[in-house]
C-alpha cells in the first residue's frame, strides 16, 4: 500500500513539475520575444510604458494558467457511488 501511494504521489508531483516547466518556459520565451522585437502590431517601436504593459500581459496570462491548474488540482472529486 505504501509503495502504491508513493508511486501515485511521485506521478502527481512529476505532472505538476512538467506543467510548471512548460508554462515558465513559454512565458520566458514570450518575454524574450517581446523584448527583442520591441515593436507594436503596426510596426512602430514600442514606448517604454507599452513594453511594460506587454510584459505585464504575458505574466498575467501565465498567472491565469497557473491559477486554473491550481483550481483543477484542489477541486473535489465527485462521489461516484
Amino acid at each position: 500500500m505504501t509503495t502504491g501511494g508513493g508511486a501515485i504521489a511521485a506521478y502527481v508531483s512529476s505532472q505538476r513539475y512538467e506543467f510548471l516547466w512548460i508554462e515558465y518556459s513559454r512565458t520566458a520565451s514570450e518575454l524574450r520575444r517581446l523584448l527583442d522585437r520591441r515593436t507594436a502590431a503596426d510596426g512602430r517601436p514600442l514606448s517604454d510604458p507599452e513594453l511594460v504593459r506587454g510584459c505585464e500581459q504575458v505574466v498575467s496570462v501565465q498567472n491565469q494558467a497557473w491559477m486554473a491548474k491550481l483550481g483543477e488540482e484542489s477541486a473535489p472529486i465527485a462521489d461516484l457511488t
Side-chain angles (χ1 to χ4, degrees):
M1 189 78 137
T2 303
T3 304
I8 291 171
Y11 175 76
V12 169
S13 180
S14 72
Q15 293 300 304
R16 183 177 302 131
Y17 175 78
E18 182 178 5
F19 169 79
L20 290 174
W21 184 85
I22 290 168
E23 285 300 311
Y24 292 155
S25 295
R26 184 192 59 76
T27 299
S29 294
E30 285 293 314
L31 289 171
R32 262 189 238 103
R33 184 186 58 75
L34 186 59
L35 183 60
D36 291 345
R37 188 187 60 184
R38 287 192 65 118
T39 55
D42 62 6
R44 67 178 172 72
L46 288 174
S47 67
D48 288 342
E50 289 173 319
L51 178 62
V52 169
R53 280 193 298 274
C55 291
E56 288 174 341
Q57 177 63 31
V58 169
V59 172
S60 177
V61 168
Q62 189 275 324
N63 188 50
Q64 290 171 4
W66 180 80
M67 293 299 288
K69 182 69 171 177
L70 182 64
E72 248 178 43
E73 292 174 358
S74 64
I77 297 174
D79 185 10
L80 300 176
T81 56

